[in-house]
Amino acid sequence: MPYNKFNPREFILRDWLALDRTVLANERTFLAYTRTSLTLVLAGLTFIRFFGPDIWSTIGYISLISGTTLWVTGVKRYLHILGHYRAMIIAENKALNDNKGSAVTP
């Protein structure tokens, strides 16, 4: 992971806010994938249903397959980035707990 070179014990508020922005950007990107794929699927179904078995239905089937493929790609990307974020949070919590245990108490 590219985040391993950073020390989680040195996170400040700005870093946590950047992580939150990353999560929100990931969700927005997933919603954009979903919106676009839903539009392609609906356009494909419309072409298939309302236009005859000519070139328009072929375009409809291509649009239907493209929309489904795009949505699957969006889900994979969303879960991939979410996995990176969760791994980073787990590493951060572990580092914080290790830091508390090694602190010298008077």
Side-chain angles (χ1 to χ4, degrees), residues 52-88:
D54 55 357
I55 189 73
W56 294 108
S57 71
T58 304
I59 292 173
Y61 285 116
I62 291 171
S63 179
L64 189 66
I65 293 168
S66 298
T68 305
T69 304
L70 183 66
W71 187 76
V72 169
T73 302
V75 168
K76 284 182 180 180
R77 286 183 54 122
Y78 174 75
L79 293 176
H80 180 74
I81 298 298
L82 190 63
H84 281 296
Y85 175 73
R86 285 183 179 162
M88 198 154 115

Side-chain angles (χ1 to χ4, degrees), residues 17-102:
L17 293 175
L19 286 175
D20 290 339
R21 282 192 305 271
T22 302
V23 170
L24 292 174
N26 189 31
E27 291 173 359
R28 277 192 313 270
T29 303
F30 174 67
L31 291 174
Y33 271 105
T34 302
R35 180 186 62 228
T36 305
S37 65
L38 183 61
T39 302
L40 283 170
V41 167
L42 290 175
L45 291 174
T46 302
F47 281 135
I48 293 168
R49 171 68 176 100
F50 292 112
F51 298 106
D54 55 357
I55 189 73
W56 294 108
S57 71
T58 304
I59 292 173
Y61 285 116
I62 291 171
S63 179
L64 189 66
I65 293 168
S66 298
T68 305
T69 304
L70 183 66
W71 187 76
V72 169
T73 302
V75 168
K76 284 182 180 180
R77 286 183 54 122
Y78 174 75
L79 293 176
H80 180 74
I81 298 298
L82 190 63
H84 281 296
Y85 175 73
R86 285 183 179 162
M88 198 154 115
I89 293 299
I90 290 170
E92 166 65 18
N93 288 336
K94 184 177 184 261
L96 288 175
N97 289 336
D98 290 346
N99 192 23
K100 287 180 184 177
S102 65

